[in-house]
């Protein structure tokens, strides 16, 4: 696991927006890896956000670009239409997940097995359905985790990221992780939406500076979500 290293860093971005292209460029520049959770039902759509402090583009990556834009990283399920899964029937949940998985697997040319819950919304019923009726192997929420511990097998469908990158404690958390001296596997799992960078909830400059700080350490494993978790 992790080429024998004890610490791992991974990123996760939701919604498949065009700003992902710039995020991938930054991750590639610093040898970092991430997972991008896409809604196959909204690929190619245009539009802008009106719920952020600043109006920014909310346009989505085109279906035919998915393979190239995310090459070298992982594509994962964010459901076809981004519903609150807990509000759906069992069959609707399975369809939202498995139809997205099938569509994305076809676009990427490999089997997609990860998932980020739309709006972080899940409960025991959703988890059980994912485990028993889909090909998904892990599911991520949105609440900041308390520490850097790796999710146990039984928590793989209900684990939380370490930190949301618009959190004011983001850099502090990164510094804390870099200062760890550990014999147990520890991960720094960073998530967000790339359009939040255009909205300056975190600036592109700060994001890149933190990527640079995390990069190039021989004692750290840099992987996609599935490489870090499974
Ligand atoms: Zn989302």
């Amino acid at each position: 696991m992790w080429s024998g290293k004890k610490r791992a860093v991974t990123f996760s971005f939701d919604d498949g927006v065009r700003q992902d292209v710039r995020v991938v460029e930054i991750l590639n520049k610093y040898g970092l890896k991430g997972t991008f959770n896409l809604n196959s039902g909204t690929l190619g759509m245009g539009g802008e956000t009106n719920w952020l402090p600043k109006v920014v583009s909310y346009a989505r990556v085109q279906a035919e670009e998915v393979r190239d834009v995310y090459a070298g990283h992982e594509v994962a399920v964010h459901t076809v239409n981004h519903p609150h899964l807990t509000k759906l029937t069992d069959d609707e949940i399975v369809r939202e997940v498995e139809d997205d998985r099938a569509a994305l697997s076809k676009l990427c040319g490999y089997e997609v097995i990860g998932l980020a819950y739309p709006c972080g919304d899940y409960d025991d019923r959703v988890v059980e359905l994912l485990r028993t009726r889909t090909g998904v192997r892990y599911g991520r929420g949105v609440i900041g985790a308390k520490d850097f511990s790796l999710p146990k097998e039984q928590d793989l469908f209900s684990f939380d990221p370490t930190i949301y990158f618009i959190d004011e404690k983001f850099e502090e958390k990164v510094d804390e992780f870099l200062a760890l001296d550990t014999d147990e596997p520890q991960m720094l799992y960073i998530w967000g939406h790339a359009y939040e960078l255009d909205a300056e909830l975190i600036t592109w400059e700060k994001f890149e500076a933190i990527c640079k700080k995390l990069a190039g350490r021989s004692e750290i494993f840099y992987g996609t979500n599935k490489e870090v978790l499974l």
Side-chain angles (χ1 to χ4, degrees), residues 38-49:
L38 312 188
N39 308 107
S40 52
T42 58
L43 289 172
M45 285 187 181
E48 40 189 31
T49 66

Side-chain angles (χ1 to χ4, degrees), residues 14-15 37 39 58 60 78 82 116-120 191 193 195:
D14 293 358
D15 300 353
N37 307 292
N39 308 107
Y58 194 49
R60 310 303 181 101
H78 201 41
H82 209 284
Y117 296 104
C119 309
W191 86 284
H193 307 92
Y195 57 78

Side-chain angles (χ1 to χ4, degrees), residues 18-196:
R18 293 222 56 86
Q19 291 90 338
D20 283 354
V21 173
R22 188 166 166 192
V23 165
V24 169
E25 281 171 11
I26 294 171
L27 296 181
N28 289 346
K29 181 172 172 186
Y30 295 102
L32 304 171
K33 298 272 186 186
T35 293
F36 293 82
N37 307 292
L38 312 188
N39 308 107
S40 52
T42 58
L43 289 172
M45 285 187 181
E48 40 189 31
T49 66
N50 55 6
W51 68 86
L52 295 169
K54 200 174 154 190
V55 177
V56 296
S57 167
Y58 194 49
R60 310 303 181 101
V61 167
Q62 305 278 343
E64 57 273 21
E65 294 178 298
V66 165
R67 190 191 290 234
D68 286 344
V69 165
Y70 301 108
H73 300 272
E74 178 189 7
V75 166
V77 170
H78 201 41
T79 74
V80 177
N81 299 300
H82 209 284
H84 282 264
L85 290 178
T86 58
K87 306 234 184 321
L88 304 186
T89 66
D90 290 6
D91 287 345
E92 286 168 343
I93 292 169
V94 171
R95 213 158 42 234
E96 276 287 342
V97 170
E98 284 299 87
D99 288 358
D100 199 41
R101 212 169 71 79
L104 297 175
S105 297
K106 195 169 172 198
L107 291 175
C108 295
Y110 58 82
E111 191 184 2
V112 165
I113 56 168
L115 173 141
Y117 296 104
C119 309
D121 181 43
Y122 66 93
D123 57 15
D124 292 347
R125 180 176 66 100
V126 172
V127 167
E128 185 59 19
L129 283 167
L130 258 58
R131 277 192 188 279
T132 56
R133 291 182 54 190
T134 77
V136 167
R137 305 261 315 274
Y138 70 85
R140 189 212 85 210
V142 296
I143 314 288
K146 284 184 280 303
D147 56 29
F148 301 108
S149 58
L150 212 55
K152 296 182 176 62
E153 172 69 31
Q154 64 267 29
D155 301 324
L156 269 178
F157 288 82
S158 56
F159 73 95
D160 285 308
T162 316
I163 193 139
Y164 190 7
F165 78 158
I166 66 169
D167 191 309
E168 58 182 21
K169 291 202 161 68
F170 179 33
E171 188 157 18
E172 204 177 296
K173 208 75 183 168
V174 166
D175 290 338
E176 199 186 316
F177 180 79
L178 289 174
L180 282 179
D181 183 11
T182 176
D183 289 330
E184 289 299 311
Q186 304 271 278
M187 71 168 185
L188 175 63
Y189 186 122
I190 297 158
W191 86 284
H193 307 92
Y195 57 78
E196 288 161 336

